[in-house]
Structure formats: structure tokens, C-alpha cells
Amino acid sequence: MNHALETELTVPLQIELLPVVTGCVENAAQAFGLQRSEALALALAAEEVFSYLAAKTAAGQSLRVTCRGGGYYAEVVCRFPGRALPVRALNITAAVADDEASLEEMGFLLAARTADRLAITTAGDIMSISFVKERAYPPAPEEALPPFTAKGTFREYGGEPELIKQFARRVAGKYGRQAPPFFRFPGKVVDMVAGGEYGVVMLADENRNVGGGMLWRGDGKMAEAYGPYVFGGGEELAREVVDACLRRFARTGTLCLVIPAATAEAPRDYFERLGELPLMVDGSRRSEQALYRELEEDNGSLAYVHPALVDFVRAAYDCLCLPRQIEGVENLGEARSPHSAFAASMDRAAGKAVLSPLWVGGDAAESLAEHVEALRREGIANILFKLDAGVAEQALLGPALLATGFLPRLIFPWEGRGDVILFAYQEGGA
């Protein structure tokens, strides 16, 4: 269950009302737990959106601002009529040129840099842009926990903060870069679970020493899980951890559980194999294996796919026996936005970046190539791309992805509005 706090404000787009918006966002973000400097970053983002729209839109229009606290982050969502934003300024590759249009977009470029995550959506004539800023957390103490030695029988635990912190430290200590980066910040994992977006199950002995556990995210049709992580007890304990995790999804309506990067301890006979993702880590090749388990009957959905990717998608669905209607989508000369924008999520320690569409436009291939070049200059060896097959417009990116060197590798059922296709960049393409 999501326990997010929320407050909302609707303001006419008149520049003299700008302090009302920035004050609301700053105060709400601090009330949701952000430090003042973090709250000011969100207020700056809202300021740039409001100022730009107040100068560009017709009189009588309003901006609806929603501030949301999710425990370990605060989010501001701005909704407004029309599609007036300069989306290309949101790219990590954006730069300010010496012309009037670029100078007008400079505020957006700065706003995009201050946020940890961005998203743009449209519904009819309403456009939404959201900025997320996460709280800063101290890393785990450098002193390692004593090696795990089980005493007595194991008991199942959920959201106890001290056990979660111990669990996170043991995961980071044993699995290192194989585990998601948030495990390096135990307090953050506590707030992620307390916020309701994440769930956890742990098995601890009589002395409350955590022997194993799993974490997951998802309150929709798919749950994305991490683990199972075990620190003693071997294969049998790993099975008990997975059994405990699966029990948490009984009668929840969740259709499937996906482990994108399964640990070596994951019992393979519990899952279907989605495939492997080849990666470069510290100059060596290794693979992450993705696993899938159906929890409730999947009655099917529609998948929007460019014809160039239909064979890959159909083979994946056939392998998993997933009922999907594949609808081909391609540009047939209709007008489209000239510019694209892509979000970039980076894990520098693991040398990994994941791109996803913010806005689909005619310069997609050129913009993707610029993103690849910029990320490689940053030393990112593994560049991935997530495309949501539940959004028809995203299917138009198929040719640009293939031309840039991205190859389809995996499908994650129900990760987005529909299934998500994961691409990996490979120099030279196929």
C-alpha cells in the first residue's frame, strides 16, 4: 500500500503569483522530509515551469501543482493545458547556445539538472511534467557486521526498521555492485518500505540476526523483486525466503513477479526464465539473469510494437505463453514533434545507465546517438533503454533505437502501462 502524502494548488498563470507556487513547493517538500537545499531544488523546477508558461500561454490559463511525499523523496507535478514546454532542454545532452530560443530554455535545463527523476505525460490536451528529488542519506557504517551464524529457528519479519537496516548492510556487504545501489544506504531502504512503494520480507534467527530476505517494488500488475539474498543456510533458506515473499502476494491482484537480476541462490525451478542481459563490469563480461513467475491468471493486453521488432516480441510472448495482441505502429508521414527528450537514470558504481522516453520526436535517432556519446564519455559501459509497449507513441522509436545500435534483449511483463522492452546498446549494432 502506498502511504504518500499529497497537497495540491491551482494558480492562474500570472507572473505576480509566482511566489505562491514556489512557497507552496518549498514548504511542502520540507514538510515531506527534504532538507531546505533539496526543497529549493524542487521549488526552482516549479519556478521555471510557471515562469515559462506565464510568458508563453494565453490569458486565463491555470497551472495545477501537486506536491507529493513518498517517504524517501518528494515530487512536484505541474499540469497545464497545451504542449508548450521546450522538451529538448530536459535532455542530459542539452546545452545553451547563443541565441534567443536557447536562452529562454536555459531555466528548464537548470531545472532538469536539479531533479533526480523526470517524467512527462499527456492526457488529451493536458500535459504534465513531474520532478522528483530524493532525500540525502548517509552511507552504511564502514565497520562490517559479524559473519552470520544461525541460532535456533528462523522467524519471518516485515517492516521493522532495525532489521531492515541490518538486512541492507548484509546485502551491500555480500553482493556489492550486484545489488541495487540503494542498499548502500540502509536508512533509505527503511523509508522506501515505510513509504509503501516497496515491500520486504526477512528471515531472522532467535537472536534477530537476518539470514536472508527479499525486497520488491510494485502496487500494480507486476512486482519487481530483488534477491533472494541469503547470508547463511544455503539453498534451503533461499527457498524459504522466496516462499515467504510469494505468500505476501496472495490475493493482492498482482499478476506476476519479475526478478531482473536474480542472485545465484534464486531457486530456478520456481520461475520461468526471461533471458540474460550481458554486461561489462570492471572490464569483465558477466550476465544478469532475469526470472519471471506468474501469480494470477494473465488475461492479456495490447502491445504496440514497430514492425521491425514484431518477430522479437512475438517470440518472447510465445516462450512465456502470454496472451498478447500485437499491434504494429509506424509513422506514415503524419506530423510529429520535431524534438525528443529522454530521461537517464545512472548507477555510476555499476557503470550502468538506463534511458527512457520523455517525449518522442523527429530527431530521436540523432538525440539517442548524442546520449550514447555523452554516456560513454562519462565512462558508462552499459547503456540500456526501456520502451513501454503499452504506449503507442513509444513504438515509433523502434527504427531509431536499432539504427543507433540498441538491440532488444528482454521483455518485462506489465512493468509500465504495458510490457516493457529492454534494449542494450551494442557498438556496431547487430
Side-chain angles (χ1 to χ4, degrees):
M1 182 182 296
N2 193 321
H3 306 299
L5 301 170
E6 192 171 293
T7 186
E8 196 165 277
L9 179 73
T10 299
V11 186
L13 281 164
Q14 300 172 17
I15 195 63
E16 60 269 26
L17 296 177
L18 175 60
V20 177
V21 174
T22 55
C24 172
V25 173
E26 180 186 344
N27 290 324
Q30 290 187 81
F32 297 150
L34 264 60
Q35 297 296 315
R36 186 162 187 268
S37 60
E38 299 162 343
L40 285 173
L42 277 186
L44 171 64
E47 176 181 340
E48 295 302 336
V49 173
F50 189 90
S51 300
Y52 189 90
L53 292 175
K56 296 291 184 181
T57 57
Q61 305 282 10
S62 295
L63 179 74
R64 184 152 63 102
V65 181
T66 304
C67 301
R68 184 178 298 123
Y72 68 101
Y73 69 88
E75 177 182 22
V76 57
V77 183
C78 300
R79 298 181 178 86
F80 46 91
R83 303 187 175 192
L85 294 186
V87 292
R88 66 177 178 177
L90 302 175
N91 287 313
I92 59 169
T93 56
V96 178
D98 188 18
D99 58 65
E100 185 176 349
S102 290
L103 291 174
E104 285 182 347
E105 297 170 0
M106 184 169 63
F108 267 90
L109 188 149
L110 295 173
R113 297 293 191 276
T114 64
D116 293 316
R117 282 179 274 151
L118 285 170
I120 297 177
T121 58
T122 57
D125 191 39
I126 301 298
M127 187 175 188
S128 300
I129 182 167
S130 75
F131 301 89
V132 172
K133 189 70 179 174
E134 297 188 356
R135 293 175 57 187
Y137 290 85
E142 292 185 5
E143 182 182 357
L145 291 170
F148 176 79
T149 303
K151 181 180 180 182
T153 57
F154 285 103
R155 180 183 166 190
E156 189 176 317
Y157 291 89
E160 292 194 24
E162 291 308 314
L163 289 184
I164 292 175
K165 285 188 278 187
Q166 182 194 149
F167 173 57
R169 291 182 64 185
R170 290 194 184 279
V171 171
K174 177 176 179 180
Y175 294 90
R177 295 179 185 177
Q178 295 179 40
F182 50 72
F183 280 112
R184 300 167 205 156
F185 305 92
K188 180 176 182 178
V189 181
V190 171
D191 285 348
M192 288 163 59
V193 174
E197 289 185 4
Y198 287 77
V200 67
V201 65
M202 299 165 289
L203 297 183
D205 67 8
E206 292 179 358
N207 287 341
R208 296 171 61 85
N209 292 312
V210 178
M214 288 186 76
L215 187 82
W216 62 85
R217 176 183 185 178
D219 52 8
K221 294 181 178 179
M222 183 268 249
E224 180 178 293
Y226 312 94
Y229 303 108
V230 292
F231 319 112
E235 181 180 340
E236 185 58 33
L237 183 58
R239 289 179 178 276
E240 291 181 27
V241 167
V242 175
D243 285 334
C245 176
L246 294 176
R247 283 196 294 273
R248 299 296 177 110
F249 289 98
R251 296 184 294 279
T252 62
T254 305
L255 297 183
C256 62
L257 181 83
V258 169
I259 308 178
T263 59
E265 295 87 349
R268 267 42 180 183
D269 55 331
Y270 276 50
F271 299 94
E272 302 289 337
R273 183 176 172 275
L274 283 178
E276 290 189 353
L277 181 64
L279 297 171
M280 289 293 293
V281 180
D282 296 331
S284 301
R285 293 188 182 278
R286 68 176 177 87
S287 294
E288 289 182 346
Q289 190 170 84
L291 302 177
Y292 164 88
R293 172 153 174 155
E294 186 175 273
L295 301 174
E296 296 187 13
E297 184 177 2
D298 188 329
N299 292 318
S301 67
L302 188 61
Y304 298 103
V305 181
H306 189 274
L309 295 166
V310 165
D311 289 345
F312 169 82
V313 171
R314 181 171 288 124
Y317 288 150
D318 289 346
C319 185
L320 294 170
C321 299
L322 286 175
R324 295 289 187 270
Q325 179 183 333
I326 299 175
E327 182 164 324
V329 177
E330 57 185 320
N331 184 274
L332 298 177
E334 67 270 28
R336 58 195 301 193
S337 169
H339 300 299
S340 301
F342 301 100
S345 172
M346 282 188 273
D347 180 358
R348 294 182 187 277
K352 184 191 293 185
V354 181
L355 300 172
S356 57
L358 290 171
W359 195 258
V360 178
D363 67 346
E366 178 185 353
S367 183
L368 282 169
E370 290 173 354
H371 278 76
V372 168
E373 183 180 352
L375 291 169
R376 288 169 67 84
R377 281 201 305 269
E378 292 279 325
I380 303 296
N382 307 293
I383 306 173
L384 311 176
F385 192 97
K386 285 190 171 182
L387 187 148
D388 192 337
V391 182
E393 191 176 35
Q394 292 191 20
L396 297 173
L397 290 171
L401 285 163
L402 295 172
T404 310
F406 285 91
L407 301 178
R409 294 292 188 183
L410 300 168
I411 287 183
F412 297 129
W414 294 112
E415 184 180 350
R417 284 163 62 180
D419 305 329
V420 166
I421 306 172
L422 180 69
F423 293 75
Y425 174 73
Q426 180 174 310
E427 192 164 11

